[in-house]
Amino acid sequence: MSDDYRQMWKELGLDLDAHDALLGVLGQAYQDIYLAQKQRPEGMGYFDFVMSEVHGLRIKELVDEKAAGRKIVGSYCVFVPEEIVLAANATLVGLCSGADFATEDVERMLPRNTCALIKSSFGFKLGKVCPYLESADMIVGENTCDGKKKAYESLAGLVDNLYVMDLPQVKSENGKALLKAEFLRFKAAVEKLTGVTITAERLKDGIQTVNAKRAALHRLSALRKTDPAPVSGLDGLLVNQVFFYDNPARFTASVNKICDELEKRIAAEEGVFAKKTPRILVSGCPQAVPNWKLPMIVETAGAVIVGEESCVGERGTRNLTDDSGQTVEEMLDAIVDRYFQVDCAIFTPNPDRLDHIQQMVAETKADGVIHYGLQFCQPYLMESIPVEKALEDRQIPCLRLETDYSMEDVGQLKTRVEAFVEQLR
Amino acid sequence: MSDDYRQMWKELGLDLDAHDALLGVLGQAYQDIYLAQKQRPEGMGYFDFVMSEVHGLRIKELVDEKAAGRKIVGSYCVFVPEEIVLAANATLVGLCSGADFATEDVERMLPRNTCALIKSSFGFKLGKVCPYLESADMIVGENTCDGKKKAYESLAGLVDNLYVMDLPQVKSENGKALLKAEFLRFKAAVEKLTGVTITAERLKDGIQTVNAKRAALHRLSALRKTDPAPVSGLDGLLVNQVFFYDNPARFTASVNKICDELEKRIAAEEGVFAKKTPRILVSGCPQAVPNWKLPMIVETAGAVIVGEESCVGERGTRNLTDDSGQTVEEMLDAIVDRYFQVDCAIFTPNPDRLDHIQQMVAETKADGVIHYGLQFCQPYLMESIPVEKALEDRQIPCLRLETDYSMEDVGQLKTRVEAFVEQLR
């Protein structure tokens, strides 16, 4: 990255030495894991560029937007409605939570038995290495799991612009009413932040922009259903990860460009792996940049990942928002309808998720499912046992993994994944 | 216990051999921990009797009540309003969750990283050793923490009478409205179960009965403030534990009888430990029967526990319900008001709890606080760090412990507690 960025990072308050170290590790990991892949679609070149500039050019764009009076909203969760943020002429970005950082400092603020994702979000703040967080004019927390819900109480002492959104735990009428009330409150907060009143026209634009991003990913998902797989699971995950960071219109165009290329590959029966390579659906916890551990293990073990039933994946992007409403109120109801369908494990009961996993297995022609659980993530670990049982009752092989962001268990995971892949042949 | 009970246990579906083993261990623990204490108030004899008959006479009473047409409601949480249960002519009992049982079977249904309390509740069911659970006509779960919320989804497959109550996560207007809606739904469910319509008169009776239990405990708490302590923390905890099991009127009378005796002790300056014994407030997770590990360690380390800031303790019993309403609606509002004040760590934020801890430290003249956290209990472990910090900022020594129901760490805990007690002298 250009030296010009150092001044920008300094002004954002980053710890330049620590940040250099982080970028060094990130760059090496990207080289070893992503650039080492064979037969990658050319269109992934855009995403390679995005990743090489993830703390550079993209941050410069955000800083430029800020200089032009636009506000930046940071989020840790797919429940934060990007439609509303865009309609208020603001930009939504996902905040860093995919790598361990400043762990010793983090464990002075959070119990050791906290999931890696939450610890990471604190680590990036305490270590001063997340330019997205430091650029954000408003940071949105949300009452999903106990871990995040309670951690935001401590995060509130570290940042001065935290906004916490309450969420229901049950998909009842009361639950939906709560979601609507919270989205209305959020709309008011974003309007206050930006000074922009959300009109029907602006909201329709926002919905259409986000829908276009989602539709591009739906198109990509549909192409991943082919055998041989035209794109790796690593690259599929990366595209889903960049969904949270990139300029929406550019992201949509770039995904569609890859899809054009994949269609040609499919017509030519070309793939990244040989035909009949065991196909795996990954289901469970989100995998944020640069958490590429599981797909790296799976795809070097002779299998291909054909879908992600995850917040960074289809759980986060499954449904479009109905854009046919004429008033702000009608469209807000449509937004509530759309987000209320997200089958996060924080809901009880959560039968839709099991249906979706089976549906994805059928659609992606997956031979088996790997349930990816972050250690200490109670909601997904709790669901993983009945999910495994239900899948096995339907003769769908399932491997439950529980891990964190460290590399210490890679050998052990590799052994288990290889044995599982062998079973699928 | 009498042999007559064996037939009753068999009819309830208990595993007699496993149950014998459990009672053997429980009896021995009670002997070693409780009966070995010196200078106990005579009034504790009643509680010794209750504990010796906890699976005997008390279960016989419940079975007799059932034969007479009364319904039994089982609960795992202080958010289940006993006022409503009593008003429908039913009996509320706490369900077993204070000891490890059938752990191997439990860990096939729940992640290993689940707190001991939740695992225990499954163990008692899977091992068929909880006569309260087997007597219950309705089992009430509640959406408190992620662990319990998601575990009830699996418990629903083990019992055929599970009712789940939703709970708010935020003390907002919406949160209070949800609590009220859920209490109304619960009232309807209990009325359906019993066939009894809750009238204003019945509800006032229910409120007064539960208030009397609470008031007796408030009286006991006030007497524990004296130096020398007139009763041990072990015995104080036991009384709070029996609160969940015993016939309400008999419990109230028995606690008041002890209080009469303690008043005489106090007048005579008699105590269970010498004057100036270091005084400790225990704060944190509930300690259910027979989880007496922490007070046993503390009180054999030369300190006395003078209060429990816990669901099994003052958090569960702090406020009375206003009984001045004339209509069912008015009294239901009073019940909602009362329960909405419970400062459980599932709420975010939860500043009242910190205030209450400090208030209890002042009132009980505690020299320090031990924060009791069950391993993997995210809400209380998350709160323990800011609680410790806030207390230490106010020069109140605090020791954070994290443990489970096993005895493996007793030596290590003893060492830490002894060092802490030394610091308080």
Side-chain angles (χ1 to χ4, degrees):
Chain A
M1 290 184 214
S2 153
D3 270 1
D4 298 343
Y5 296 142
R6 296 190 72 80
Q7 186 57 30
M8 171 179 81
W9 293 331
K10 203 171 162 186
E11 282 166 18
L12 285 172
L14 297 196
D15 177 332
L16 292 184
D17 290 343
H19 189 245
D20 284 349
L22 175 73
L23 290 186
V25 172
L26 183 67
Q28 189 60 50
Y30 197 79
Q31 179 89 32
D32 296 345
I33 298 172
Y34 273 88
L35 302 182
Q37 294 181 92
K38 309 242 183 272
Q39 328 276 5
R40 294 178 80 210
E42 276 178 32
M44 286 307 300
Y46 171 71
F47 292 89
D48 291 342
F49 174 71
V50 166
M51 285 310 298
S52 73
E53 288 285 345
V54 69
H55 281 198
L57 187 57
R58 183 62 186 139
I59 299 301
K60 171 113 187 19
E61 290 177 348
L62 298 182
V63 168
D64 289 348
E65 287 183 8
K66 283 163 72 84
R70 197 172 164 102
K71 299 293 182 184
I72 310 298
V73 177
S75 147
Y76 292 108
C77 179
V78 298
F79 274 106
V80 180
E82 187 171 7
E83 293 91 333
I84 292 173
V85 175
L86 292 177
N89 198 31
T91 295
L92 186 73
V93 289
L95 298 176
C96 308
S97 56
D100 290 332
F101 212 87
T103 305
E104 213 169 303
D105 292 338
V106 172
E107 292 183 354
R108 270 192 284 274
M109 296 198 69
L110 296 176
R112 205 172 45 80
N113 290 352
T114 303
C115 87
L117 190 137
I118 298 172
K119 279 188 181 172
S120 170
S121 65
F122 272 60
F124 276 90
K125 177 65 205 171
L126 292 170
K128 301 181 190 167
V129 289
C130 176
Y132 292 92
L133 185 70
E134 305 306 335
S135 307
D137 299 291
M138 177 182 185
I139 293 165
V140 187
E142 74 315 308
N143 294 338
T144 44
C145 60
D146 287 339
K148 285 171 101 182
K149 177 171 82 174
K150 299 303 287 183
Y152 291 129
E153 295 173 18
S154 296
L155 189 65
L158 299 179
V159 299
D160 56 8
N161 47 5
L162 181 69
Y163 174 96
V164 179
M165 180 183 284
D166 196 22
L167 287 178
Q169 310 188 73
V170 173
K171 293 204 170 168
S172 60
E173 221 171 287
N174 274 324
K176 195 164 184 178
L178 174 62
L179 189 66
K180 182 171 179 180
E182 284 298 291
F183 279 6
L184 281 169
R185 189 169 71 88
F186 179 64
K187 171 178 166 284
V190 175
E191 286 180 326
K192 193 178 162 204
L193 176 76
T194 58
V196 173
T197 300
I198 293 178
T199 61
E201 195 188 357
R202 284 177 178 284
L203 192 52
K204 186 165 291 212
D205 267 2
I207 291 176
Q208 289 172 344
T209 301
V210 186
N211 277 349
K213 289 210 297 183
R214 292 177 186 138
L217 284 180
H218 297 172
R219 196 180 156 206
L220 178 64
S221 296
L223 296 172
R224 291 173 71 189
K225 294 171 187 173
T226 326
D227 186 25
V231 64
S232 68
L234 272 164
D235 281 334
L237 174 63
L238 184 68
V239 174
N240 276 287
Q241 289 174 331
V242 170
F243 177 92
F244 292 90
Y245 297 90
D246 201 7
N247 170 284
R250 190 173 58 204
F251 174 83
T252 302
S254 305
V255 177
N256 278 318
K257 201 174 148 202
I258 289 195
C259 291
D260 294 340
E261 184 184 350
L262 297 192
E263 282 173 358
K264 287 183 201 140
R265 284 193 160 200
I266 291 166
E269 291 197 28
E270 282 170 17
V272 282
F273 297 100
K275 222 171 164 169
K276 307 253 183 224
T277 294
R279 300 167 67 81
I280 286 174
L281 176 74
V282 171
S283 170
C285 290
Q287 297 165 85
V289 170
N291 176 16
W292 303 307
K293 183 169 151 180
L294 180 66
M296 174 194 73
I297 291 171
V298 172
E299 299 199 330
T300 54
V304 57
I305 294 172
V306 292
E308 296 78 26
E309 192 282 319
S310 162
C311 305
V312 182
E314 293 216 8
R315 190 184 310 123
T317 58
R318 181 172 289 113
N319 300 296
L320 300 186
T321 301
D322 181 359
D323 66 350
S324 68
Q326 293 307 310
T327 62
V328 169
E329 166 112 77
E330 282 170 4
M331 285 183 275
L332 269 173
D333 280 338
I335 292 171
V336 171
D337 283 344
R338 189 262 162 202
Y339 284 85
F340 200 55
Q341 292 179 68
V342 175
D343 52 353
C344 174
I346 59 154
F347 287 104
T348 185
N350 190 31
D352 289 353
R353 183 170 167 234
L354 186 58
D355 293 344
H356 284 141
I357 296 172
Q358 292 177 72
Q359 190 186 317
M360 285 185 75
V361 167
E363 286 177 2
T364 61
K365 300 187 191 74
D367 301 302
V369 174
I370 292 182
H371 194 283
Y372 174 76
L374 281 174
Q375 207 182 8
F376 312 122
C377 168
Q378 289 188 332
Y380 283 97
L381 294 179
M382 279 274 179
E383 278 197 1
S384 70
I385 298 177
V387 160
E388 177 184 54
K389 193 176 175 320
L391 291 175
E392 292 188 340
D393 285 351
R394 289 158 182 80
Q395 274 75 53
I396 301 166
C398 180
L399 174 67
R400 274 193 297 130
L401 297 181
E402 191 176 329
T403 184
D404 56 19
Y405 290 173
S406 83
M407 290 297 144
E408 282 169 30
D409 60 352
V410 165
Q412 189 206 339
L413 291 177
K414 231 175 150 56
T415 306
R416 292 186 62 199
V417 168
E418 283 167 355
F420 184 65
V421 170
E422 221 29 69
Q423 180 193 335
L424 303 181
R425 283 186 198 279
Chain B
M1 290 185 214
S2 154
D3 270 359
D4 297 344
Y5 296 142
R6 296 190 71 80
Q7 185 57 29
M8 172 179 79
W9 293 332
K10 203 171 161 186
E11 283 166 15
L12 285 172
L14 297 195
D15 177 332
L16 292 184
D17 289 344
H19 189 246
D20 283 350
L22 175 74
L23 290 187
V25 172
L26 182 68
Q28 188 61 49
Y30 198 79
Q31 179 88 33
D32 295 346
I33 298 172
Y34 273 88
L35 302 182
Q37 294 179 93
K38 310 242 183 274
Q39 328 275 7
R40 294 176 81 210
E42 275 179 35
M44 285 307 298
Y46 170 71
F47 292 90
D48 292 342
F49 174 70
V50 165
M51 285 310 298
S52 73
E53 289 285 345
V54 69
H55 281 199
L57 187 58
R58 183 62 186 138
I59 300 300
K60 173 117 188 10
E61 290 177 348
L62 298 182
V63 168
D64 288 348
E65 286 182 8
K66 282 162 73 84
R70 195 173 166 103
K71 298 294 181 184
I72 311 299
V73 176
S75 146
Y76 291 107
C77 179
V78 298
F79 274 106
V80 180
E82 187 171 7
E83 292 91 333
I84 291 175
V85 175
L86 292 177
N89 198 32
T91 295
L92 185 73
V93 290
L95 298 177
C96 309
S97 57
D100 290 331
F101 212 86
T103 305
E104 214 170 302
D105 293 338
V106 172
E107 292 183 353
R108 269 192 285 273
M109 297 198 70
L110 296 176
R112 204 172 45 80
N113 290 353
T114 303
C115 86
L117 190 137
I118 297 173
K119 279 189 183 173
S120 171
S121 65
F122 272 60
F124 275 91
K125 177 64 204 174
L126 292 170
K128 300 180 189 167
V129 290
C130 175
Y132 291 92
L133 184 70
E134 306 305 335
S135 306
D137 299 291
M138 178 183 185
I139 294 164
V140 187
E142 74 314 310
N143 294 339
T144 42
C145 60
D146 287 339
K148 285 172 99 182
K149 176 171 82 173
K150 299 302 288 182
Y152 290 129
E153 295 173 18
S154 296
L155 189 65
L158 299 179
V159 300
D160 56 9
N161 46 7
L162 181 69
Y163 174 96
V164 178
M165 180 184 283
D166 196 22
L167 287 178
Q169 310 187 73
V170 173
K171 293 203 171 169
S172 60
E173 222 171 287
N174 274 324
K176 195 163 185 178
L178 174 62
L179 189 66
K180 181 170 180 183
E182 284 297 291
F183 279 7
L184 281 169
R185 190 169 70 88
F186 179 64
K187 170 177 166 284
V190 175
E191 286 179 328
K192 194 178 161 203
L193 176 77
T194 58
V196 173
T197 301
I198 293 177
T199 61
E201 193 188 358
R202 284 177 179 283
L203 192 52
K204 186 164 288 210
D205 267 2
I207 291 174
Q208 289 174 342
T209 300
V210 186
N211 277 349
K213 290 209 297 182
R214 293 177 185 136
L217 284 180
H218 297 172
R219 194 179 157 206
L220 178 63
S221 295
L223 296 172
R224 291 173 70 190
K225 296 170 187 173
T226 327
D227 187 25
V231 64
S232 68
L234 272 165
D235 282 334
L237 174 62
L238 185 68
V239 173
N240 276 287
Q241 290 175 330
V242 170
F243 177 91
F244 292 89
Y245 297 91
D246 202 8
N247 171 285
R250 190 173 58 206
F251 174 84
T252 302
S254 304
V255 177
N256 278 318
K257 202 174 146 201
I258 290 194
C259 291
D260 294 341
E261 184 184 348
L262 297 192
E263 282 173 357
K264 287 183 200 139
R265 284 191 161 202
I266 291 166
E269 292 198 26
E270 284 169 17
V272 282
F273 297 99
K275 223 173 163 166
K276 308 250 182 224
T277 295
R279 301 167 66 83
I280 287 175
L281 177 73
V282 171
S283 170
C285 291
Q287 297 165 86
V289 170
N291 176 16
W292 302 308
K293 184 169 151 180
L294 179 66
M296 174 194 74
I297 291 171
V298 172
E299 299 200 331
T300 54
V304 58
I305 294 172
V306 291
E308 295 79 25
E309 191 281 320
S310 162
C311 305
V312 182
E314 293 215 8
R315 190 183 312 123
T317 58
R318 179 173 289 112
N319 298 297
L320 300 186
T321 300
D322 179 0
D323 68 348
S324 67
Q326 293 307 309
T327 64
V328 170
E329 166 112 78
E330 282 169 4
M331 284 183 275
L332 269 171
D333 281 337
I335 292 172
V336 171
D337 284 344
R338 189 261 162 205
Y339 284 85
F340 201 55
Q341 294 179 67
V342 175
D343 52 355
C344 174
I346 59 155
F347 288 103
T348 185
N350 191 31
D352 288 352
R353 183 169 167 235
L354 185 59
D355 292 344
H356 283 142
I357 295 172
Q358 292 177 72
Q359 190 185 319
M360 284 184 76
V361 167
E363 285 177 3
T364 61
K365 301 186 191 74
D367 301 300
V369 175
I370 292 183
H371 193 283
Y372 173 77
L374 280 174
Q375 207 184 6
F376 311 123
C377 168
Q378 288 187 333
Y380 282 97
L381 293 180
M382 281 273 178
E383 278 197 2
S384 70
I385 298 177
V387 160
E388 177 185 53
K389 191 175 175 323
L391 291 176
E392 293 187 341
D393 284 351
R394 289 159 183 77
Q395 275 74 50
I396 301 166
C398 180
L399 174 68
R400 273 192 299 132
L401 297 181
E402 190 177 329
T403 183
D404 56 18
Y405 290 174
S406 83
M407 290 296 144
E408 282 168 30
D409 61 350
V410 165
Q412 188 206 341
L413 291 177
K414 231 176 149 56
T415 306
R416 293 186 61 198
V417 167
E418 282 167 356
F420 183 66
V421 170
E422 220 30 66
Q423 177 192 339
L424 304 180
R425 281 186 200 281

